[in-house]
Amino acid sequence: MAAYSIYADQHLTLNTINSNKKYLYAFVVGLFVAAQIILYLFGKDFLQPAKNSIIETAVINPDCNLQKTPCEANFSENVKITFSLSPRPIKPLVPLNIDVSIEKLEVENVHVQFEGIDMYMGYYRPELSIRNKDNNKVNYEGNATLSVCTLDEMPWQANVILTTDQGIYVAPFQFVVSKS
């Protein structure tokens, strides 16, 4: 009889372990399914780039000279912007007209951030307003004034910042301003 009870206890223990494995397996599968449902319902917001993150930065065109002509920047999917500053020549402390033309991209707002390249000159970031709009092209305009520098020539970078519902596009343009 003692041998039977040991066998019965071992048999019950094995049944309990197998039963617990089934519950553990069901729990793990249920947890996995719940996680999949949560990711499906809410994950698309986490997997998308944040609205305030930079999606793409255009390559600087070293051949363009803003002192003489408008400059272009190209992004993927045939998105193109044209950037212009006037009057020319661009001088410090002279009010500038900013013109930005955007093709094939819907934007929420446009800013131009001016910053010194070799010397910290602070950041100046005017927001532009819509001048006119047609099928695939929107023109923005604004005003800015560059600060004066102690150097005879000051290299600047103007970052045209396009905020969209997907994120931010940045087009950098470099130019040199002379005091005289």
Side-chain angles (χ1 to χ4, degrees):
M1 178 106 153
Y4 175 73
S5 68
I6 292 173
Y7 174 75
D9 289 343
Q10 287 176 349
H11 183 68
L12 288 173
T13 306
L14 288 176
N15 282 341
T16 306
I17 291 171
N18 285 336
S19 177
N20 286 343
K21 282 184 181 178
K22 290 178 187 175
Y23 289 125
L24 180 62
Y25 178 75
F27 175 74
V28 169
V29 168
L31 192 60
F32 179 75
V33 169
Q36 292 296 320
I37 291 170
I38 289 171
L39 279 175
Y40 176 76
L41 294 175
F42 304 106
K44 58 186 172 219
D45 296 332
F46 297 114
L47 298 175
Q48 296 288 333
K51 191 174 183 176
N52 60 355
S53 66
I54 296 175
I55 295 176
E56 189 174 353
T57 301
V59 177
I60 295 174
N61 181 354
D63 298 329
C64 185
N65 183 351
L66 277 170
Q67 289 284 11
K68 296 182 179 189
T69 64
C71 292
E72 291 183 353
N74 296 298
F75 296 101
S76 60
E77 300 180 18
N78 296 322
V79 173
K80 179 174 89 172
I81 73 164
T82 305
F83 177 65
S84 177
L85 296 173
S86 61
R88 293 187 187 102
I90 302 166
K91 298 278 186 194
L93 302 178
V94 174
L96 296 172
N97 298 315
I98 305 168
D99 289 300
V100 174
S101 174
I102 304 167
E103 293 181 31
K104 299 183 181 178
L105 183 67
E106 281 192 40
V107 298
E108 295 175 359
N109 59 51
V110 177
H111 291 85
V112 178
Q113 178 173 301
F114 293 94
E115 55 189 72
I117 293 176
D118 294 337
M119 182 182 295
Y120 178 73
M121 301 293 287
Y123 295 105
Y124 184 45
R125 193 179 205 177
E127 183 172 359
L128 307 185
S129 56
I130 294 177
R131 180 180 50 202
N132 60 20
K133 191 180 209 181
D134 58 25
N135 292 338
N136 287 330
K137 190 174 182 180
V138 182
N139 296 308
Y140 288 82
E141 65 184 359
N143 297 299
T145 302
L146 298 177
S147 55
V148 70
C149 177
T150 57
L151 303 174
D152 288 335
E153 291 190 337
M154 176 65 192
W156 287 88
Q157 181 163 309
N159 294 310
V160 179
I161 302 167
L162 313 171
T163 304
T164 70
D165 59 351
Q166 294 91 25
I168 296 173
Y169 291 79
V170 178
F173 298 94
Q174 294 182 346
F175 58 99
V176 177
V177 174
S178 298
K179 274 191 203 179
S180 55

